[in-house]
C-alpha cells in the first residue's frame, strides 16, 4: 500500500557530468538493502543500459522507490532531552514517520538534456550535486536555471570533499575556506537568477511578494538551514549542520543546545573548550584556534583517512588514498593485509568517539545496538563481515557507520523538500497548472474543469467524487522480461521491447484495466469531440524493473502501458472529459547533428519507419523528418546522443536490420553582403559595373529571370507578362532586426541603422540622417518579419499607390527592355513601345528611395484600376512569395537569413473597355508568389553571396600540458577561445570556445588523441549563427593575385586555387541534395587524356 501525499517525496538528482550523481544514488539504494554495501558507489545500479556502463555516463533518467524512516528534528531533540523519562516504544513509534521517496537519477551530459527536463517536471525537489574540486561548471549554471523555471526546491550536495584532503592536500581549515567560497559562489549565481526573474515579472506586471519571498528562501543555500549536505559519495559519508549539532550535543562535546549551536558550526567562529565560549575566528591576522566546522566536522574524517593510510604504509603497502602514496615504513610483507589492530587504526577508533551523525546514535531506538565500533574487536568484526581489505573499502566501512550519507540525504529530502500536496499548492503553481479552456465553454463544462483544477492544486487523494488526473512526462523502452506482469497482453510478442509512459499522478488514483481514461495531447484545445479513451496498466518503477500494481494514488510516480498507439510525446490522462492538458515547458532544445538513415535492403523500409516512430516516441529530443526526396532524417542533440540513438534503432526497434547511415548533415543559411559603394544611394543606382561572377557561371546563371536582375534589384515578370514587380534585396544586420522586433532603439545599433538608411535613401539630406529617423521610417514601411532575421518592406511610394502603374498595352503585356528579352526566341512576345512611359515613371520612383516624399501623384484611371488590383488580389500573395523565397536560397537551397526585401513598384497591363479600363490578363495569387520568389532569388544572386554557419559553444577542462594540443586542434577547425581561467585550487584550466558546427564532428576523439588524455571531452551546445566572411566565387584577377594564389582554373574542381571553405560547403550541400554542382564536369581536356598503358 502506497502512503498518502504527505508521506511521499519526489526528488531528482541533477549535476554536471561526472560530479557523482549515480554514485550518490547507489548509496541511497543501498540503505534499502537492494544492493550490498560492498557494491554501493561502484555498481551504478540505475545505469542499467550496457552502453551506460561502458561509457561511464548516465544516458537515460531512471526512477526507483525507496523507503525511509524519518525522525523529525524537534521530536528527536525532545526525545533526547527526556531520555531518562522515556516510557517505552510507543513514544518512539510515534516519533518515526515511514516515508516513500521516489528518486529519479538524471543524465549530466548536455546531449541528454531532454531527460533532465522530464525529470524536473516529474519531481518537486532537486538534489544539486557539485564537485568540491571542480566547483560550478557551465552545465551546473544551466541546470540551476532550469530547476528554477520548473519551481523545484533545491538541496545542495557538495560532493567529493575527500578529494580536497587526498588529492589537493588541504588541511581542515583550508577545506572549510574553500567550501565556504563555493557556497558563496552558488548563492551569487542564484541571486543573479532571482533578480533577473523579478525584473521580468515586474516588466510584465506580475508581482507576488509571498511567492517571491518563498523562492528567495528556497534558493538561498545556508548550511544552518540544513539544505546543504557535505559528502563523499564514493566512500558513503555525508552530514548536515543540524544533524552534526545534535550529535555534538548528544556526546556532550559542546554543551550547547542544537538550535543555538548550529548558528556557529558553519561560520567564522571558534570554540574555546576551556571557557566554553564561542569566539570570532579570523582567516588572516594570526591568532590560535581553528573554525568549529574544521575542528568538529572535518578533522575526525581527516584523521580516519590518515589513520587508514598510515596502517597501509605500516604493513609495507603504498597508500591508495593519497596522491603521494605516503611514506612506506616497512618492507612489504607476504599477504600484507590491514587489520583493526594494525598500527594507525587506533587513530581511526579515537576519531569515532564524537561527531557521529548516525541516527542510532542521535536518536537511539529501544533495544537497538549502536553500529559504531567501540573497540578493535568490534571494528575487525565489521571488516571481516563485509570482506573489507583495501584502504578504500575500510574507509567506506568506517565512514558509512560514522556519518551515513543515505540518512543525511534522505532526511534532508524529507525536511526541506515539499510533499506533492504542498508543492502543488505553494511552490509549483505554474509548473503543475492545467491549460485554460476556451472562453466559449458552457457553464457546466467550466464548473467541471474548475473542480478538476482544484483537485490538482490540492493533490486530492482518491475519493468517490475526486477526478483522477495524471501527466505522462516521457516514454521509455524496456524489455518484456523486465516487466513483472503475467497478464501483460501478448499481441506484440514479435517484439521483445515495449514502450511505457512515465507519469506523475496529480490527483485521484490510477487503476489498472478498470477505467477508460481520456487522453489529452499537448495541443488539445477543447475542440476535439473525439478524444481518445484507453484502458491502461500501471507499474511501479524500481530502476530497470517494473512491478505491476492495481492502483497508484496521487503524489506518486508510475509507469503506464498501452499508450504507444497515441504517438504523443507527452499526454495528460483524466477520467473526465472536461480536463485540459498540463502546461509543460519548452526548453528550446535544438538538434545539432542530423543524418540520413536508410536500410541496406529495400524490403526493410517498413520496419525502419516503424522503428523511427518508436525511437522518436521513446526519446523526446529525437526528431525524425521525411523529405520530399524520400530521405529519412534523424536529428539528435549531439554525437554521443546520435550514436546511442542509432544503436537503439538498430538493436531495439528494428530487430538488427542493416542500416546505411550518411555522414553528418550540417545546416547552413544563405545571406548577402554590402557592395562597397552601396551607401551612396544615387551613385550606386547609376553604377553599370559588370555582373558578379556567380551570375555568369553555371549552374547559377541558369536561374530563371536572372536577366531581369542587376546589383540586388530585380524587375520580376509574372507569367504571361501581364504584370511586373520591382524589388530590391539588401543585408539586414542582427541589431537592426532586433530593433524592428522590439520597435525601439537598441544599444549598439546606431551605425547599422544609419548604414541601411543611407543605402535605402531614407532622406536626401544625409546630414540630418539619424538612427531614430531610420528606425521610424523602417517601422512605417515594415510588412512582415520572420524568425530568421529577414524582413519585408514596402516603399512609401508603393504603399500610397504612387508607384503602382497601369500600363496601357496593345497586346496586354508590360514593357520588357530589348536587352532583357533578347534571350527569348519568341519575338512575337516583345510588347509595343507605347508602354515605355509607364516603365520610365516607375524607374523614376526608384530614385526617390524608401521614403519617396518629393514626388506628387500623377495617377490616372488606368493607375487606379491597377492599384485596386494590387491591393485586393496581389498584395497578400506577395507575402507568401517572400516567405517561400526565404525558405531556400539560390546558392544551395538552404534557408535565407539576415536579408531585407523591399517592394518598390508594380506595373500591371490594362486594356480599354467600354467602361474605361480593365486588367488585361488574369493575375492569380500563385503567379505573384512564383514571380516574387524567383525575383528575390535573382536579386540575391546579383549581390555578394555569403554563407551563414552555426557556431557551437564548447566547454572543457585542460591541464597545462594539454593547452598546446588544444589550441592547435581548435585553430585548425577555425575555433575561437572565448575565455580560459584556472579552476581554483587545481592545475586545471576551464576553457570556453566557439567552433563552427561543420568543423565539430570528431572533435572529442581528436582532442583525446592529440593531447594524450590531458583534455576532457567537450560539451557542445548551440551558440549562434555567424556569417562566414569568405566570398565563395572569388577568383584571382590581378597579376599579383595570380602570383600569390595561382592561376584560376575555369573548370574542374579547383575553381579558385584557394582553400575556400564557403565554396566547399556549397558544393557539399548541393551534392547531398542532388543539385548540379559547378565542378561536375569530369573531362576537362579530352585530347590530353593518357591511356592506362604506354606503347613500348
Amino acid at each position: 500500500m502506497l502512503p498518502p501525499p504527505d508521506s511521499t517525496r519526489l526528488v531528482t538528482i541533477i549535476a554536471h557530468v561526472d560530479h557523482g550523481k549515480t554514485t550518490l544514488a547507489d548509496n541511497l539504494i543501498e540503505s534499502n538493502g537492494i544492493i550490498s554495501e560492498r557494491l554501493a558507489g561502484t555498481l551504478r545500479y540505475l545505469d542499467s543500459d550496457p552502453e551506460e556502463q561502458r561509457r561511464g555516463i548516465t544516458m537515460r533518467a531512471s526512477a526507483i522507490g525507496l523507503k525511509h524512516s524519518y525522525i523529525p528534528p524537534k521530536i528527536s531533540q525532545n526525545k533526547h532531552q527526556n531520555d531518562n523519562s522515556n516510557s517505552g516504544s510507543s513514544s518512539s513509534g510515534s516519533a518515526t514517520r515511514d516515508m516513500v521517496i521516489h528518486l529519479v537519477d538524471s543524465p549530466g551530459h548536455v546531449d541528454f538534456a531532454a531527460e533532465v527536463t522530464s525529470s524536473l517536471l516529474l519531481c518537486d525537489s532537486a538534489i544539486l550535486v557539485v564537485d568540491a574540486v571542480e566547483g560550478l561548471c557551465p552545465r551546473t549554471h544551466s541546470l540551476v536555471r532550469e530547476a528554477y523555471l520548473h519551481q523545484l526546491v533545491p538541496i545542495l550536495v557538495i560532493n567529493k570533499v575527500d578529494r580536497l584532503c587526498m588529492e589537493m592536500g588541504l588541511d581542515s581549515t583550508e577545506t572549510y575556506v574553500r567550501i565556504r567560497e563555493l557556497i558563496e559562489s552558488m548563492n551569487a549565481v542564484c541571486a543573479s537568477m532571482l533578480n533577473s526573474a523579478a525584473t521580468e515579472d515586474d516588466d510584465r506586471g506580475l508581482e507576488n511578494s509571498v511567492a517571491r519571498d518563498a523562492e528567495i528562501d528556497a534558493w538561498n543555500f545556508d548550511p544552518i538551514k540544513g539544505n546543504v549536505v557535505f559528502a563523499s559519495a564514493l566512500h558513503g559519508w555525508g552530514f548536515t549542520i543540524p544533524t552534526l549539532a545534535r550529535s555534538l550535543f548528544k556526546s556532550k562535546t559542546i554543551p550547547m543546545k542544537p538550535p543555538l549551536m548550529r548558528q556557529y558550526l558553519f561560520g567564522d567562529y571558534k570554540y574555546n573548550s576551556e571557557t566554553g565560549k564561542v569566539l570570532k575566528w579570523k582567516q588572516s591576522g594570526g591568532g590560535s584556534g581553528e573554525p568549529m566546522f574544521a575542528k568538529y566536522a572535518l578533522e575526525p574524517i581527516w584523521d580516519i583517512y590518515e589513520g587508514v593510510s598510515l596502517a597501509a604504509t605500516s604493513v609495507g603497502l603504498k597508500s591508495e588514498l593519497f596522491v603521494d602514496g605516503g611514506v612506506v615504513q616497512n618492507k612489504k610483507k607476504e599477504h600484507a593485509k590491514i587489520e583493526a589492530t594494525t598500527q594507525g587504526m587506533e587513530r581511526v577508533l579515537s576519531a569515532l568517539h564524537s561527531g557521529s551523525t548516525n541516527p542510532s546514535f542521535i536518536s537511539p531506538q529501544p533495544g537497538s545496538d549502536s553500529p559504531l565500533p567501540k573497540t578493535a574487536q568490534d571494528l575487525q568484526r565489521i571488516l571481516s563481515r563485509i570482506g573489507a581489505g583495501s584502504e578504500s573499502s575500510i574507509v567506506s566501512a568506517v565512514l558509512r557507520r560514522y556519518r551515513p550519507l543515505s540518512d543525511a540525504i534522505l532526511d534532508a529530502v524529507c525536511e526541506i523538500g515539499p510533499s506533492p500536496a504542498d508543492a502543488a499548492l505553494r511552490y509549483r503553481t505554474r509548473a503543475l497548472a492545467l491549460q485554460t479552456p476556451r472562453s466559449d465553454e458552457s457553464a457546466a463544462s467550466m464548473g467541471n474543469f474548475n473542480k478538476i483544477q482544484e483537485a490538482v492544486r490540492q493533490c486530492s487523494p482518491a475519493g468517490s467524487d475526486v477526478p483522477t488526473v495524471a501527466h505522462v512526462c516521457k516514454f521509455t523502452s524496456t524489455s518484456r522480461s523486465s516487466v513483472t506482469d503475467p497478464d501483460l497482453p501478448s499481441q506484440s510478442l514479435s517484439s521483445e521491447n515495449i514502450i511505457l509512459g512515465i507519469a506523475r499522478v496529480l490527483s485521484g488514483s490510477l487503476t489498472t484495466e478498470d477505467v477508460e481514461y481520456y487522453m489529452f495531447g499537448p495541443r488539445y484545445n477543447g475542440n476535439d469531440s473525439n478524444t481518445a479513451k484507453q484502458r491502461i496498466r500501471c507499474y511501479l518503477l524500481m530502476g530497470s524493473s517494473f512491478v505491476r500494481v492495481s492502483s497508484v494514488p496521487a503524489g506518486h510516480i508510475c509507469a503506464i502501458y498501452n499508450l504507444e498507439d497515441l504517438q504523443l510525446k507527452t499526454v495528460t490522462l483524466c477520467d473526465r472529459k472536461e480536463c485540459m492538458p498540463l502546461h509543460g515547458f519548452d526548453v528550446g532544445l535544438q538538434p545539432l547533428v542530423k543524418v540520413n538513415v536508410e536500410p541496406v535492403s529495400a524490403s526493410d523500409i517498413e520496419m525502419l519507419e516503424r522503428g523511427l516512430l518508436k525511437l522518436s516516441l521513446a526519446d523526446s529530443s529525437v526528431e525524425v523528418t521525411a523529405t520530399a526526396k524520400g530521405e529519412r532524417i534523424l536529428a539528435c542533440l549531439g554525437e554521443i546522443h546520435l550514436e546511442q540513438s542509432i544503436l537503439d534503432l538498430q538493436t531495439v526497434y528494428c530487430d538488427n536490420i542493416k542500416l546505411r547511415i550518411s555522414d553528418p548533415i550540417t545546416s547552413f543559411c544563405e545571406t548577402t553582403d554590402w557592395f562597397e559603394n552601396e551607401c551612396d544611394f544615387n551613385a550606386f543606382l547609376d553604377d553599370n559595373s559588370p555582373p558578379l561572377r556567380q551570375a555568369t557561371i553555371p549552374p547559377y546563371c541558369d536561374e530563371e529571370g536572372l536577366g531581369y536582375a542587376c546589383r540586388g534589384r530585380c524587375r520580376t515578370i509574372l507569367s504571361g507578362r501581364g504584370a511586373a514587380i520591382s524589388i530590391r534585396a539588401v543585408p539586414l544586420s542582427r541589431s537592426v532586426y532586433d530593433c524592428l522586433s522590439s520597435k525601439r532603439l537598441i544599444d549598439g545599433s546606431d551605425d547599422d541603422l544609419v548604414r541601411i538608411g543611407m543605402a535605402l535613401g531614407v532622406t536626401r539630406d544625409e546630414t540630418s540622417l539619424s538612427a531614430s529617423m531610420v528606425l521610424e521610417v523602417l517601422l512605417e514601411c515594415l510588412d512582415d518579419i520572420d524568425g530568421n532575421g529577414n524582413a519585408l518592406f514596402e516603399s512609401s511610394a508603393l504603399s500610397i499607390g504612387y508607384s503602382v502603374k497601369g500600363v496601357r498595352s496593345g497586346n496586354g503585356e508590360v514593357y520588357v527592355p530589348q536587352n532583357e528579352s533578347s534571350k527569348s526566341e519568341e519575338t512575337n512576345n516583345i510588347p509595343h513601345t507605347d508602354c515605355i512611359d509607364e516603365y520610365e515613371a516607375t524607374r523614376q520612383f526608384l530614385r526617390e528611395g524608401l521614403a519617396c516624399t518629393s514626388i506628387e501623384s500623377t495617377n490616372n484611371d488606368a493607375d487606379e484600376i491597377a492599384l485596386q488590383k494590387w491591393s485586393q488580389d496581389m498584395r497578400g500573395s506577395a507575402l507568401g512569395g517572400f516567405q517561400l523565397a526565404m525558405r531556400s536560397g539560390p546558392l544551395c537551397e538552404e534557408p535565407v537569413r539576415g536579408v531585407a526585401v523591399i517592394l518598390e513598384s508594380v506595373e500591371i497591363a490594362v486594356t480599354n473597355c467600354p467602361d474605361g479600363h480593365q486588367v488585361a490578363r488574369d493575375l492569380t495569387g500563385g503567379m505573384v508568389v512564383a514571380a516574387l520568389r524567383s525575383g528575390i532569388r535573382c536579386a540575391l544572386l546579383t549581390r555578394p553571396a555569403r554563407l551563414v554557419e552555426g557556431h557551437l559553444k564548447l566547454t572543457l577542462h585542460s591541464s597545462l600540458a594539454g593547452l598546446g594540443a588544444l589550441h592547435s586542434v581548435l585553430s585548425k577547425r577555425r575555433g575561437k577561445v572565448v575565455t580560459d581561467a584556472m579552476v581554483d585550487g587545481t592545475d586545471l584550466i576551464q576553457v570556453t570556445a566557439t567552433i563552427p558546427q561543420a568543423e565539430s564532428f570528431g572533435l572529442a576523439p581528436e582532442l583525446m588523441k592529440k593531447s594524450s588524455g590531458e583534455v576532457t571531452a567537450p560539451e557542445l551546445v548551440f551558440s549562434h549563427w555567424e556569417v562566414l566572411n569568405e566570398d565563395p566565387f572569388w577568383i584571382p584577377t590581378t597579376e599579383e593575385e595570380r602570383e600569390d594564389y595561382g592561376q584560376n582554373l575555369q573548370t574542374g574542381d579547383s575553381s579558385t586555387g584557394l582553400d575556400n571553405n564557403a565554396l566547399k560547403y556549397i558544393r557539399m550541400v548541393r551534392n547531398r541534395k542532388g543539385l548540379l554542382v559547378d565542378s561536375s564536369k569530369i573531362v576537362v581536356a579530352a585530347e590530353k587524356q593518357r591511356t592506362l598503358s604506354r606503347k613500348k
Side-chain angles (χ1 to χ4, degrees), residues 700-996:
Y700 314 102
C701 64
D702 299 329
E703 185 76 30
E704 184 180 358
L706 188 60
Y708 305 138
C710 178
R711 299 180 71 78
R713 277 190 166 91
C714 182
R715 182 170 175 265
T716 179
I717 311 297
L718 271 68
S719 177
R721 297 188 176 184
I725 304 175
S726 296
I727 60 175
R728 183 184 180 187
V730 297
L732 185 67
S733 66
R734 186 68 193 185
S735 60
V736 177
Y737 174 82
D738 291 338
C739 291
L740 294 174
S741 300
S742 60
K743 298 182 180 180
R744 61 182 178 86
L745 280 176
I746 295 177
D747 294 340
S749 62
D750 291 2
D751 293 341
D752 292 331
L753 280 170
V754 170
R755 181 170 191 175
I756 194 172
M758 295 174 64
L760 297 180
V762 169
T763 179
R764 289 182 175 274
D765 186 7
E766 296 184 358
T767 59
S768 63
L769 191 65
S770 64
S772 58
M773 177 193 299
V774 175
L775 179 59
E776 182 181 354
V777 173
L778 291 178
L779 290 174
E780 290 177 356
C781 300
L782 182 64
D783 268 3
D784 183 57
I785 190 170
D786 66 8
N788 281 346
N790 305 307
L792 176 66
F793 298 93
E794 188 177 347
S795 68
S796 299
L798 183 60
S799 59
I800 298 172
Y802 289 0
S803 60
V804 180
K805 293 296 179 182
V807 180
R808 301 182 184 89
S809 174
N811 61 352
E813 297 180 0
V814 297
Y815 174 72
V816 179
Q818 184 65 31
N819 62 339
E820 295 179 356
S821 61
S822 58
K823 295 182 181 181
S824 176
E825 297 180 358
E826 300 179 9
T827 56
N828 58 344
N829 282 339
I830 302 177
H832 299 287
T833 59
D834 57 354
C835 310
I836 296 180
D837 293 340
E838 290 83 357
Y839 171 76
E840 294 296 340
T842 57
R843 298 296 95 188
Q844 185 63 31
F845 279 108
L846 300 184
R847 295 187 175 276
E848 299 302 319
L850 187 65
C852 191
T853 57
S854 61
I855 294 185
E856 296 183 357
S857 175
T858 58
N859 287 3
N860 50 38
D861 294 342
D863 296 338
E864 294 296 334
I865 295 297
L867 178 60
Q868 182 180 359
K869 181 65 175 178
W870 163 253
S871 302
Q872 295 179 357
D873 300 334
M874 300 173 64
R875 186 175 182 181
S877 300
L879 176 59
F882 164 75
Q883 294 172 343
L884 194 61
M886 296 299 103
R887 293 181 185 176
S888 58
L891 298 181
C892 50
E893 303 299 327
E894 291 288 280
V896 178
R897 177 176 289 271
V899 170
V901 176
I902 301 96
L903 303 178
E904 295 183 320
S905 65
V906 176
E907 304 164 53
I908 300 176
V910 297
T911 57
N912 295 325
C913 68
D915 297 333
H917 296 88
Q918 64 180 8
V919 178
R921 297 178 182 269
D922 290 334
L923 303 176
T924 63
M927 291 182 181
V928 178
V929 170
L932 206 61
R933 174 184 178 273
S934 175
I936 294 174
R937 290 169 61 91
C938 293
L940 291 175
L941 272 178
T942 57
R943 295 191 58 90
R946 294 290 185 271
L947 274 188
V948 185
E949 54 183 353
H951 279 243
L952 308 181
K953 178 183 177 182
L954 66 89
T955 55
L956 50 80
H957 289 85
S958 171
S959 65
L960 293 174
L963 278 182
L966 170 63
H967 284 278
S968 175
V969 172
L970 288 181
S971 62
K972 185 182 73 172
R973 293 172 175 261
R974 297 188 293 116
K976 300 176 183 178
V977 175
V978 179
T979 60
D980 53 353
M982 292 290 297
V983 179
D984 293 340
T986 69
D987 62 345
L988 296 178
I989 299 176
Q990 180 175 303
V991 179
T992 303
T994 61
I995 187 172

Side-chain angles (χ1 to χ4, degrees), residues 597-599 604-612 649 654 659:
V597 183
E598 59 184 16
D604 295 329
I605 290 180
E606 186 177 354
M607 181 177 292
L608 173 62
E609 290 179 346
R610 289 199 304 267
L612 287 172
L649 178 66
C654 291
L659 300 177

Side-chain angles (χ1 to χ4, degrees), residues 119-157:
S119 302
L120 294 176
L121 190 57
L122 278 171
C123 300
D124 300 321
S125 53
I127 299 175
L128 178 60
V129 184
V130 178
D131 192 321
V133 176
E134 295 185 7
L136 304 183
C137 296
R139 182 66 179 148
T140 310
H141 289 257
S142 61
L143 288 172
V144 167
R145 290 191 295 270
E146 193 169 353
Y148 172 74
L149 290 176
H150 283 79
Q151 298 181 294
L152 267 68
V153 177
I155 299 170
L156 178 62
V157 176

Side-chain angles (χ1 to χ4, degrees), residues 68-72 75 79 86-99 363-366:
H68 178 60
S69 297
Y70 171 58
I71 304 176
I75 298 179
K79 185 179 177 184
N86 196 347
S87 58
S89 60
S90 61
S91 114
S92 65
S94 62
T96 303
R97 292 182 58 190
D98 293 329
M99 309 287 291
S363 305
Q365 301 293 321

Side-chain angles (χ1 to χ4, degrees), residues 63-294:
I64 190 170
L66 303 175
K67 290 184 178 180
H68 178 60
S69 297
Y70 171 58
I71 304 176
K74 293 181 180 180
I75 298 179
S76 64
Q77 290 174 26
N78 294 336
K79 185 179 177 184
H80 167 72
Q81 293 170 6
N82 301 322
D83 188 47
N84 297 330
S85 60
N86 196 347
S87 58
S89 60
S90 61
S91 114
S92 65
S94 62
T96 303
R97 292 182 58 190
D98 293 329
M99 309 287 291
V100 169
I101 299 175
H102 292 277
L103 179 71
V104 182
D105 180 27
S106 63
H109 200 284
V110 70
D111 281 11
F112 307 97
E115 295 286 321
V116 180
T117 302
S118 60
S119 302
L120 294 176
L121 190 57
L122 278 171
C123 300
D124 300 321
S125 53
I127 299 175
L128 178 60
V129 184
V130 178
D131 192 321
V133 176
E134 295 185 7
L136 304 183
C137 296
R139 182 66 179 148
T140 310
H141 289 257
S142 61
L143 288 172
V144 167
R145 290 191 295 270
E146 193 169 353
Y148 172 74
L149 290 176
H150 283 79
Q151 298 181 294
L152 267 68
V153 177
I155 299 170
L156 178 62
V157 176
I158 301 179
N159 193 26
K160 304 187 182 182
V161 178
D162 57 300
R163 293 182 62 191
L164 300 176
C165 169
M166 297 187 299
E167 296 182 14
M168 300 178 62
L170 303 182
D171 59 27
S172 56
T173 300
E174 293 170 335
T175 300
Y176 158 71
V177 174
R178 183 176 180 86
I179 291 175
R180 183 191 64 188
E181 293 175 349
L182 177 58
I183 296 175
E184 290 173 352
S185 300
M186 175 60 75
N187 283 330
V189 171
C190 295
S192 175
M193 174 187 66
L194 291 171
N195 291 335
S196 299
T199 303
E200 293 179 2
D201 290 344
D202 292 341
D203 292 341
R204 292 181 294 178
L206 302 176
E207 185 175 358
N208 189 337
S209 58
V210 177
R212 186 174 298 178
D213 291 343
E215 288 180 345
I216 293 175
D217 182 66
W219 285 94
N220 178 41
F221 296 108
D222 187 356
I224 298 174
K225 296 192 303 184
N227 62 353
V228 179
V229 182
F230 310 94
S232 170
L234 181 63
H235 296 143
W237 63 264
F239 63 92
T240 61
I241 293 298
T243 56
L244 182 61
R246 295 197 293 270
S247 172
L248 295 175
F249 178 70
K250 170 75 175 179
S251 62
K252 299 181 181 179
T253 305
I254 301 178
M256 188 184 302
K257 294 295 181 65
L260 180 61
M261 189 192 310
R262 70 170 69 176
Q263 304 295 325
Y264 303 109
L265 264 181
F266 192 87
D268 293 345
Y269 300 100
K270 61 183 180 180
Y271 178 70
N272 190 330
S273 57
E274 296 178 357
T275 62
K277 293 182 179 180
V278 176
L279 306 175
K280 193 71 176 177
W281 176 79
K282 294 184 179 179
Q283 183 175 350
S284 59
S288 60
E290 54 186 342
M292 295 177 66
F293 183 80

